[in-house]
Amino acid sequence: MDVPVVDAHAHVWPRWPYQPPVPDDATRGSVEHLLFEMDQNGVGRTLIVAAGIDRNPDNNEYVAAAVRAHPDRLVHAADVDCRWTPDYHRPGAADRLRAAVSRYGVRVVTHYLAKENDGWLVADEGRAFFRTAASLGLVLSVAAPPPWHEDLRVVARENPALPIVVHHLANVNSWPGGVDEGLRLVLPGRDLPNLFVKVSGWYYGSDEPWEYPHAARLGVARAFHDEWGPHRLVWASDHPVHRRALTYRQTLEIVRRNCTFIDPADLPGVLGGNLAALLPARSSVA
Protein backbone atom coordinates (compact mmCIF):
# COMPACT_ATOMS: atom_id res chain seq x y z
CA MET A 1 0.00 0.00 0.00
CA ASP A 2 1.31 3.46 -0.91
CA VAL A 3 2.06 5.71 2.04
CA PRO A 4 0.65 9.21 1.49
CA VAL A 5 2.95 12.21 1.65
CA VAL A 6 2.08 14.38 4.64
CA ASP A 7 3.44 17.88 5.22
CA ALA A 8 4.20 18.35 8.92
CA HIS A 9 4.40 22.14 8.93
CA ALA A 10 2.72 24.85 6.88
CA HIS A 11 1.04 28.16 7.65
CA VAL A 12 -1.86 30.00 6.06
CA TRP A 13 -2.68 33.67 6.62
CA PRO A 14 -5.17 36.07 4.99
CA ARG A 15 -2.66 38.93 5.43
CA TRP A 16 1.06 38.58 4.76
CA PRO A 17 2.80 38.95 8.15
CA TYR A 18 6.44 39.52 7.18
CA GLN A 19 8.66 42.31 5.91
CA PRO A 20 9.16 43.43 3.24
CA PRO A 21 5.57 43.89 2.12
CA VAL A 22 4.47 41.83 -0.90
CA PRO A 23 2.25 42.91 -3.80
CA ASP A 24 -0.07 39.92 -3.29
CA ASP A 25 -0.65 40.61 0.40
CA ALA A 26 -4.07 38.94 0.62
CA THR A 27 -3.22 35.78 -1.28
CA ARG A 28 0.44 34.82 -0.82
CA GLY A 29 -0.31 33.06 2.45
CA SER A 30 -3.79 31.88 1.50
CA VAL A 31 -5.07 28.36 1.97
CA GLU A 32 -5.74 28.22 -1.77
CA HIS A 33 -2.02 28.61 -2.49
CA LEU A 34 -1.21 25.83 -0.07
CA LEU A 35 -3.76 23.46 -1.61
CA PHE A 36 -2.37 24.24 -5.07
CA GLU A 37 1.16 23.31 -3.97
CA MET A 38 -0.10 20.15 -2.32
CA ASP A 39 -1.91 19.09 -5.46
CA GLN A 40 1.04 19.88 -7.72
CA ASN A 41 3.46 17.92 -5.56
CA GLY A 42 1.43 14.88 -4.56
CA VAL A 43 0.93 15.83 -0.92
CA GLY A 44 -2.15 14.25 0.61
CA ARG A 45 -2.47 16.09 3.93
CA THR A 46 -0.90 19.03 5.71
CA LEU A 47 -0.64 20.03 9.34
CA ILE A 48 -1.34 23.77 9.40
CA VAL A 49 0.47 25.33 12.33
CA ALA A 50 -1.56 28.34 13.37
CA ALA A 51 0.51 31.40 14.22
CA GLY A 52 -1.21 34.60 15.28
CA ILE A 53 1.75 36.78 14.35
CA ASP A 54 1.77 40.30 12.89
CA ARG A 55 -1.55 41.38 11.39
CA ASN A 56 -3.06 37.92 12.00
CA PRO A 57 -4.27 37.69 15.61
CA ASP A 58 -7.30 35.78 14.26
CA ASN A 59 -5.21 33.05 12.64
CA ASN A 60 -6.83 30.24 14.61
CA GLU A 61 -10.19 31.24 13.16
CA TYR A 62 -8.83 31.41 9.61
CA VAL A 63 -7.21 27.99 9.90
CA ALA A 64 -10.32 26.49 11.49
CA ALA A 65 -12.43 27.70 8.56
CA ALA A 66 -9.96 26.21 6.07
CA VAL A 67 -10.04 22.86 7.87
CA ARG A 68 -13.85 22.85 7.94
CA ALA A 69 -13.79 23.30 4.14
CA HIS A 70 -11.11 20.61 3.60
CA PRO A 71 -11.24 18.15 6.53
CA ASP A 72 -9.64 15.34 4.52
CA ARG A 73 -6.65 17.45 3.44
CA LEU A 74 -5.88 19.78 6.33
CA VAL A 75 -5.25 19.43 10.07
CA HIS A 76 -5.33 22.38 12.47
CA ALA A 77 -2.58 22.79 15.07
CA ALA A 78 -4.14 25.50 17.22
CA ASP A 79 -2.00 28.33 18.50
CA VAL A 80 -2.23 28.14 22.30
CA ASP A 81 -0.37 30.72 24.41
CA CYS A 82 2.46 31.17 21.90
CA ARG A 83 5.19 33.69 22.68
CA TRP A 84 3.47 36.55 20.78
CA THR A 85 0.24 36.23 22.78
CA PRO A 86 -0.53 38.22 25.94
CA ASP A 87 -1.14 34.92 27.76
CA TYR A 88 2.33 33.52 27.11
CA HIS A 89 3.33 31.64 30.29
CA ARG A 90 0.70 33.37 32.40
CA PRO A 91 -1.28 31.38 34.99
CA GLY A 92 -4.21 29.36 33.70
CA ALA A 93 -2.54 27.79 30.64
CA ALA A 94 -4.13 24.37 31.18
CA ASP A 95 -7.61 25.90 31.26
CA ARG A 96 -6.90 27.90 28.09
CA LEU A 97 -5.68 24.70 26.45
CA ARG A 98 -8.95 22.92 27.27
CA ALA A 99 -10.92 25.90 25.95
CA ALA A 100 -8.99 25.95 22.65
CA VAL A 101 -9.47 22.21 22.14
CA SER A 102 -13.20 22.58 22.76
CA ARG A 103 -13.58 25.67 20.59
CA TYR A 104 -11.69 24.43 17.54
CA GLY A 105 -12.23 20.69 17.85
CA VAL A 106 -8.49 20.06 17.43
CA ARG A 107 -6.26 17.15 18.35
CA VAL A 108 -3.02 19.07 17.69
CA VAL A 109 -1.82 22.27 19.36
CA THR A 110 1.26 24.39 18.86
CA HIS A 111 3.30 26.35 21.36
CA TYR A 112 6.12 28.69 20.28
CA LEU A 113 8.72 29.33 22.94
CA ALA A 114 10.84 32.48 23.24
CA LYS A 115 14.60 32.40 22.69
CA GLU A 116 15.38 32.36 26.40
CA ASN A 117 14.35 29.50 28.68
CA ASP A 118 12.26 30.93 31.53
CA GLY A 119 11.84 27.56 33.25
CA TRP A 120 8.10 27.33 32.52
CA LEU A 121 8.19 23.84 31.00
CA VAL A 122 9.12 22.25 34.31
CA ALA A 123 7.32 24.72 36.59
CA ASP A 124 3.90 23.83 38.03
CA GLU A 125 1.98 25.75 35.34
CA GLY A 126 3.88 24.12 32.49
CA ARG A 127 3.61 20.66 33.98
CA ALA A 128 -0.16 21.11 34.34
CA PHE A 129 -0.38 22.23 30.70
CA PHE A 130 1.40 19.12 29.42
CA ARG A 131 -0.46 16.73 31.72
CA THR A 132 -3.67 18.19 30.35
CA ALA A 133 -2.46 17.82 26.76
CA ALA A 134 -1.62 14.16 27.40
CA SER A 135 -4.96 13.50 29.11
CA LEU A 136 -6.81 14.97 26.11
CA GLY A 137 -4.91 12.73 23.68
CA LEU A 138 -3.25 15.66 21.92
CA VAL A 139 -0.16 16.01 19.75
CA LEU A 140 2.11 18.96 20.57
CA SER A 141 3.91 20.85 17.80
CA VAL A 142 6.53 22.97 19.54
CA ALA A 143 9.03 25.62 18.50
CA ALA A 144 11.84 25.08 20.98
CA PRO A 145 15.29 26.67 20.52
CA PRO A 146 18.19 24.59 21.88
CA PRO A 147 18.24 26.04 25.45
CA TRP A 148 14.80 24.54 26.11
CA HIS A 149 15.59 20.96 25.23
CA GLU A 150 16.87 19.73 28.58
CA ASP A 151 13.51 20.69 30.06
CA LEU A 152 11.62 19.44 27.01
CA ARG A 153 13.11 16.00 27.61
CA VAL A 154 11.71 16.14 31.15
CA VAL A 155 8.27 16.89 29.68
CA ALA A 156 8.61 13.96 27.27
CA ARG A 157 9.60 11.57 30.07
CA GLU A 158 6.79 12.70 32.36
CA ASN A 159 4.19 12.41 29.56
CA PRO A 160 5.12 9.35 27.51
CA ALA A 161 1.70 9.27 25.80
CA LEU A 162 2.14 12.84 24.51
CA PRO A 163 3.79 13.02 21.05
CA ILE A 164 6.00 16.13 20.88
CA VAL A 165 7.04 17.26 17.40
CA VAL A 166 9.85 19.85 17.38
CA HIS A 167 9.98 22.43 14.59
CA HIS A 168 12.68 22.91 11.95
CA LEU A 169 15.51 20.63 13.06
CA ALA A 170 15.19 22.15 16.53
CA ASN A 171 16.50 25.49 15.19
CA VAL A 172 20.03 24.13 15.35
CA ASN A 173 20.98 25.77 12.05
CA SER A 174 20.19 29.23 13.38
CA TRP A 175 21.60 28.73 16.88
CA PRO A 176 24.05 31.60 17.62
CA GLY A 177 26.35 29.22 19.47
CA GLY A 178 26.90 27.18 16.33
CA VAL A 179 25.70 23.84 15.02
CA ASP A 180 27.93 21.69 17.22
CA GLU A 181 26.75 23.35 20.41
CA GLY A 182 23.15 23.29 19.20
CA LEU A 183 23.31 19.57 18.53
CA ARG A 184 24.90 18.95 21.91
CA LEU A 185 21.90 20.64 23.53
CA VAL A 186 19.14 18.97 21.51
CA LEU A 187 20.29 15.47 20.54
CA PRO A 188 20.14 13.56 23.84
CA GLY A 189 16.85 11.72 23.83
CA ARG A 190 17.45 8.38 22.15
CA ASP A 191 15.27 6.86 24.89
CA LEU A 192 12.27 9.13 24.20
CA PRO A 193 10.11 7.58 21.47
CA ASN A 194 7.47 10.32 21.83
CA LEU A 195 9.93 13.04 20.73
CA PHE A 196 9.97 13.80 16.98
CA VAL A 197 11.61 16.45 14.79
CA LYS A 198 10.50 18.21 11.62
CA VAL A 199 13.05 17.94 8.82
CA SER A 200 12.64 21.46 7.50
CA GLY A 201 13.85 25.04 7.74
CA TRP A 202 17.18 24.40 6.00
CA TYR A 203 17.67 28.09 5.20
CA TYR A 204 17.26 29.51 8.70
CA GLY A 205 20.40 31.30 9.79
CA SER A 206 22.02 30.88 6.36
CA ASP A 207 24.01 33.64 4.66
CA GLU A 208 22.86 32.14 1.35
CA PRO A 209 19.29 30.94 1.97
CA TRP A 210 18.74 30.45 -1.77
CA GLU A 211 21.45 27.75 -1.98
CA TYR A 212 20.14 24.31 -2.94
CA PRO A 213 20.27 21.60 -1.65
CA HIS A 214 21.87 23.12 1.46
CA ALA A 215 24.40 20.32 1.43
CA ALA A 216 26.38 21.76 4.34
CA ARG A 217 23.27 21.47 6.53
CA LEU A 218 22.34 17.90 5.72
CA GLY A 219 24.60 16.84 8.57
CA VAL A 220 22.12 18.21 11.11
CA ALA A 221 19.36 16.03 9.69
CA ARG A 222 21.76 13.09 9.64
CA ALA A 223 22.63 13.65 13.30
CA PHE A 224 18.94 13.42 14.25
CA HIS A 225 18.53 10.38 12.00
CA ASP A 226 21.48 8.57 13.55
CA GLU A 227 20.61 9.45 17.16
CA TRP A 228 16.78 9.37 17.16
CA GLY A 229 16.15 7.02 14.24
CA PRO A 230 14.26 7.59 10.96
CA HIS A 231 10.91 6.77 12.57
CA ARG A 232 11.11 10.02 14.54
CA LEU A 233 11.76 12.29 11.53
CA VAL A 234 8.89 14.03 9.70
CA TRP A 235 9.25 16.08 6.52
CA ALA A 236 7.81 19.60 6.43
CA SER A 237 7.69 22.32 3.80
CA ASP A 238 7.40 25.42 6.03
CA HIS A 239 4.99 26.83 3.44
CA PRO A 240 4.78 29.72 2.55
CA VAL A 241 7.90 30.88 4.41
CA HIS A 242 10.02 28.58 2.21
CA ARG A 243 9.37 30.94 -0.73
CA ARG A 244 12.11 33.21 0.60
CA ALA A 245 14.59 30.54 -0.44
CA LEU A 246 13.16 27.41 -2.07
CA THR A 247 10.22 26.13 -4.05
CA TYR A 248 7.76 23.81 -2.38
CA ARG A 249 9.07 20.97 -4.54
CA GLN A 250 12.63 21.64 -3.40
CA THR A 251 11.68 21.35 0.27
CA LEU A 252 10.43 17.86 -0.57
CA GLU A 253 13.29 16.82 -2.83
CA ILE A 254 15.98 17.80 -0.34
CA VAL A 255 14.71 14.92 1.78
CA ARG A 256 13.71 12.58 -1.01
CA ARG A 257 16.91 12.89 -3.08
CA ASN A 258 19.61 14.43 -0.94
CA CYS A 259 19.17 12.83 2.48
CA THR A 260 20.89 9.71 1.16
CA PHE A 261 21.53 8.47 4.69
CA ILE A 262 17.81 7.60 4.95
CA ASP A 263 17.25 4.02 3.87
CA PRO A 264 14.75 3.85 0.96
CA ALA A 265 12.59 1.57 3.09
CA ASP A 266 12.35 4.29 5.74
CA LEU A 267 11.73 7.21 3.37
CA PRO A 268 7.93 6.78 3.07
CA GLY A 269 7.72 7.09 6.83
CA VAL A 270 9.75 10.29 6.91
CA LEU A 271 7.70 11.76 4.05
CA GLY A 272 4.37 11.00 5.61
CA GLY A 273 3.86 7.73 7.42
CA ASN A 274 5.49 8.77 10.70
CA LEU A 275 3.27 11.83 11.06
CA ALA A 276 0.14 10.14 9.71
CA ALA A 277 0.40 7.66 12.57
CA LEU A 278 0.08 10.55 15.04
CA LEU A 279 -2.81 12.40 13.40
CA PRO A 280 -6.53 11.64 13.41
CA ALA A 281 -7.70 9.96 10.20
CA ARG A 282 -9.92 12.96 9.47
CA SER A 283 -10.09 16.40 10.99
CA SER A 284 -13.08 16.93 13.21
CA VAL A 285 -15.25 19.91 12.34
CA ALA A 286 -15.68 22.35 15.21
Side-chain angles (χ1 to χ4, degrees):
M1 183 177 67
D2 290 338
V3 178
V5 178
V6 182
D7 187 343
H9 192 109
H11 302 286
V12 292
W13 295 290
R15 297 165 290 276
W16 187 245
Y18 297 118
Q19 295 296 321
V22 295
D24 51 345
D25 180 84
T27 59
R28 182 168 294 201
S30 70
V31 67
E32 291 80 12
H33 272 212
L34 172 61
L35 289 165
F36 174 82
E37 293 288 2
M38 291 170 63
D39 290 341
Q40 291 296 302
N41 293 286
V43 175
R45 300 181 81 196
T46 291
L47 178 64
I48 301 180
V49 179
I53 55 178
D54 286 357
R55 305 175 66 223
N56 291 275
D58 56 349
N59 196 229
N60 270 329
E61 284 70 26
Y62 182 75
V63 176
V67 171
R68 284 195 297 270
H70 306 278
D72 296 320
R73 305 293 307 280
L74 306 176
V75 181
H76 182 184
D79 174 340
V80 179
D81 286 11
C82 290
R83 59 180 173 79
W84 45 76
T85 68
D87 287 325
Y88 178 69
H89 294 181
R90 291 182 61 190
D95 290 337
R96 290 189 294 274
L97 174 62
R98 291 189 193 94
V101 169
S102 176
R103 177 173 183 176
Y104 300 114
V106 295
R107 287 295 172 266
V108 188
V109 297
T110 190
H111 187 67
Y112 278 73
L113 294 161
K115 292 180 180 179
E116 300 298 326
N117 185 346
D118 62 7
W120 182 84
L121 296 185
V122 293
D124 290 346
E125 281 283 331
R127 282 187 153 109
F129 181 92
F130 297 112
R131 283 196 305 270
T132 300
S135 71
L136 293 172
L138 302 182
V139 176
L140 176 66
S141 179
V142 61
W148 293 88
H149 278 253
E150 182 176 359
D151 291 348
L152 191 64
R153 289 189 287 273
V154 174
V155 172
R157 288 192 179 94
E158 291 182 350
N159 301 278
L162 176 66
I164 301 170
V165 190
V166 180
H167 298 183
H168 307 320
L169 294 169
N171 299 111
V172 167
N173 283 320
S174 56
W175 176 237
V179 167
D180 289 344
E181 181 185 5
L183 286 173
R184 179 181 61 78
L185 292 170
V186 306
L187 274 185
R190 182 189 291 264
D191 61 329
L192 296 170
N194 58 326
L195 198 56
F196 300 79
V197 68
K198 300 181 185 185
V199 185
S200 58
W202 308 93
Y203 33 80
Y204 287 116
S206 174
D207 292 333
E208 296 184 347
W210 57 85
E211 191 270 331
Y212 177 86
H214 291 281
R217 290 164 171 242
L218 296 178
V220 174
R222 179 160 198 161
F224 277 105
H225 172 277
D226 293 351
E227 186 66 19
W228 289 13
H231 54 290
R232 289 164 59 187
L233 308 183
V234 296
W235 163 73
S237 70
D238 195 26
H239 180 83
V241 184
H242 69 83
R243 290 186 57 179
R244 296 171 170 177
L246 303 171
T247 67
Y248 191 99
R249 170 70 72 172
Q250 286 174 321
T251 71
L252 186 56
E253 296 303 333
I254 286 178
V255 176
R256 182 181 276 151
R257 297 189 182 191
N258 299 103
C259 288
T260 55
F261 48 85
I262 300 175
D263 189 287
D266 295 322
L267 193 58
V270 177
L271 294 179
N274 296 342
L275 182 63
L278 304 179
L279 299 179
R282 188 177 190 271
S283 294
S284 59
V285 179

